[in-house]
Coordinates of all heavy atoms in Angstrom, one line a residue:
P1363 N -6.6 74.0 143.2 CA -6.7 73.8 144.7 C -5.4 74.5 145.3 O -4.3 74.3 144.8 CB -6.6 72.3 144.9 CG -7.0 71.7 143.6 CD -6.5 72.6 142.6
A1364 N -5.6 75.3 146.3 CA -4.5 76.0 146.8 C -4.3 75.9 148.4 O -5.3 75.8 149.1 CB -4.6 77.5 146.4
I1365 N -3.1 76.0 148.8 CA -2.8 76.1 150.3 C -2.0 77.4 150.5 O -1.0 77.6 149.9 CB -2.0 74.9 150.8 CG1 -2.8 73.6 150.6 CG2 -1.6 75.1 152.3 CD1 -2.1 72.4 151.1
L1366 N -2.6 78.2 151.4 CA -1.8 79.4 151.9 C -1.3 79.0 153.2 O -2.1 78.9 154.2 CB -2.7 80.7 151.9 CG -3.2 81.2 150.5 CD1 -3.9 82.5 150.7 CD2 -2.0 81.4 149.6
H1367 N 0.0 78.8 153.3 CA 0.6 78.3 154.5 C 0.9 79.5 155.4 O 1.9 80.3 155.2 CB 1.9 77.5 154.2 CG 2.6 77.0 155.4 ND1 3.9 76.4 155.3 CD2 2.3 76.9 156.7 CE1 4.2 76.0 156.5 NE2 3.3 76.2 157.3
C1368 N 0.1 79.8 156.4 CA 0.2 81.0 157.2 C 0.9 80.7 158.5 O 0.4 80.0 159.3 CB -1.2 81.5 157.5 SG -2.1 82.0 155.9
L1369 N 2.1 81.3 158.6 CA 2.8 81.1 159.9 C 2.5 82.1 160.9 O 2.8 83.3 160.7 CB 4.3 81.1 159.5 CG 4.7 79.8 158.8 CD1 4.9 80.1 157.3 CD2 5.8 79.0 159.4
I1370 N 1.9 81.7 162.0 CA 1.5 82.7 163.0 C 2.4 82.5 164.2 O 3.0 81.4 164.5 CB 0.0 82.7 163.4 CG1 -0.4 81.4 164.1 CG2 -0.8 82.9 162.2 CD1 -1.7 81.5 164.8
D1371 N 2.5 83.5 165.1 CA 3.3 83.4 166.3 C 2.6 82.5 167.3 O 1.4 82.6 167.5 CB 3.4 84.8 166.9 CG 4.4 85.0 168.0 OD1 4.4 84.0 168.8 OD2 5.1 86.0 168.1
P1372 N 3.3 81.5 167.8 CA 2.7 80.5 168.7 C 2.1 81.3 169.9 O 1.2 80.7 170.6 CB 3.9 79.7 169.2 CG 5.0 79.9 168.3 CD 4.8 81.2 167.5
E1373 N 2.6 82.5 170.3 CA 2.0 83.2 171.4 C 0.6 83.6 171.1 O -0.2 83.8 172.0 CB 2.9 84.5 171.7 CG 4.1 84.2 172.5 CD 3.8 83.8 173.9 OE1 2.7 84.3 174.4 OE2 4.5 83.0 174.5
A1374 N 0.2 83.8 169.8 CA -1.1 84.3 169.4 C -2.1 83.1 169.5 O -2.7 82.7 168.6 CB -1.1 84.8 168.0
I1375 N -2.4 82.7 170.8 CA -3.2 81.5 170.9 C -4.7 81.7 170.8 O -5.4 80.8 170.4 CB -2.8 80.8 172.3 CG1 -3.3 79.4 172.4 CG2 -3.2 81.6 173.5 CD1 -2.7 78.4 171.4
T1376 N -5.1 82.9 171.2 CA -6.6 83.2 171.0 C -6.6 84.7 170.6 O -5.6 85.4 170.7 CB -7.4 83.1 172.3 OG1 -7.1 84.2 173.1 CG2 -7.2 81.8 173.0
P1377 N -7.7 85.2 170.1 CA -7.8 86.6 169.8 C -7.5 87.6 171.0 O -7.2 88.7 170.8 CB -9.2 86.8 169.3 CG -9.7 85.5 168.8 CD -9.0 84.5 169.7
S1378 N -7.6 87.1 172.2 CA -7.6 88.0 173.3 C -6.5 87.7 174.3 O -6.2 88.5 175.2 CB -8.9 88.0 174.1 OG -9.2 86.6 174.4
T1379 N -5.7 86.6 174.2 CA -4.7 86.4 175.2 C -3.5 85.6 174.6 O -3.6 85.1 173.5 CB -5.2 85.6 176.4 OG1 -4.2 85.7 177.5 CG2 -5.6 84.2 176.1
T1380 N -2.4 85.6 175.3 CA -1.2 84.9 174.8 C -0.9 83.6 175.6 O -1.4 83.5 176.8 CB 0.0 85.8 174.8 OG1 0.3 86.1 176.2 CG2 -0.2 87.1 174.0
L1381 N -0.1 82.8 175.1 CA 0.3 81.6 175.8 C 1.0 82.0 177.1 O 0.7 81.4 178.2 CB 1.3 80.7 175.0 CG 0.7 79.6 174.2 CD1 1.9 78.8 173.6 CD2 -0.2 78.7 175.0
S1382 N 1.9 82.9 177.0 CA 2.7 83.3 178.2 C 1.8 83.9 179.3 O 1.9 83.6 180.5 CB 3.7 84.4 177.9 OG 4.6 83.9 176.9
A1383 N 0.8 84.7 178.9 CA -0.2 85.3 179.8 C -1.0 84.1 180.5 O -1.2 84.2 181.8 CB -1.1 86.2 179.1
I1384 N -1.3 83.1 179.8 CA -2.1 82.0 180.4 C -1.2 81.3 181.4 O -1.6 81.0 182.5 CB -2.6 81.0 179.3 CG1 -3.6 81.7 178.4 CG2 -3.2 79.8 179.9 CD1 -4.1 80.9 177.2
R1385 N 0.1 81.1 181.0 CA 1.0 80.4 181.9 C 1.2 81.2 183.2 O 1.2 80.7 184.3 CB 2.3 80.2 181.2 CG 3.4 79.5 182.1 CD 4.7 79.4 181.4 NE 4.7 78.5 180.3 CZ 5.9 78.0 179.7 NH1 7.0 78.5 180.1 NH2 5.8 77.1 178.8
E1386 N 1.5 82.5 183.0 CA 1.7 83.4 184.2 C 0.5 83.4 185.1 O 0.7 83.3 186.3 CB 2.1 84.8 183.7 CG 3.6 84.9 183.3 CD 3.9 86.0 182.3 OE1 3.1 87.0 182.3 OE2 4.9 85.8 181.6
R1387 N -0.7 83.5 184.5 CA -1.9 83.5 185.4 C -2.0 82.2 186.2 O -2.3 82.2 187.4 CB -3.1 83.7 184.5 CG -3.6 85.1 184.4 CD -5.0 85.2 184.0 NE -5.3 84.6 182.7 CZ -5.2 85.1 181.5 NH1 -4.7 86.3 181.4 NH2 -5.5 84.4 180.4
A1388 N -1.7 81.1 185.5 CA -1.8 79.8 186.2 C -0.7 79.7 187.3 O -1.0 79.2 188.4 CB -1.7 78.7 185.2
L1389 N 0.5 80.1 187.0 CA 1.6 80.1 188.0 C 1.2 80.9 189.2 O 1.5 80.5 190.3 CB 2.9 80.5 187.4 CG 3.5 79.5 186.4 CD1 4.7 80.1 185.7 CD2 3.9 78.2 187.1
A1390 N 0.7 82.1 188.9 CA 0.4 83.0 190.0 C -0.7 82.4 190.9 O -0.7 82.5 192.1 CB -0.1 84.4 189.4
A1391 N -1.7 81.7 190.3 CA -2.8 81.1 191.0 C -2.2 80.0 191.9 O -2.8 79.7 193.0 CB -3.8 80.6 190.1

Side-chain angles (χ1 to χ4, degrees):
I1365 296 178
L1366 294 183
H1367 183 188
C1368 299
L1369 288 107
I1370 66 163
D1371 190 320
E1373 279 291 329
I1375 193 68
T1376 75
S1378 54
T1379 191
T1380 64
L1381 265 186
S1382 306
I1384 294 174
R1385 177 185 289 193
E1386 278 155 27
R1387 268 199 301 274
L1389 286 172

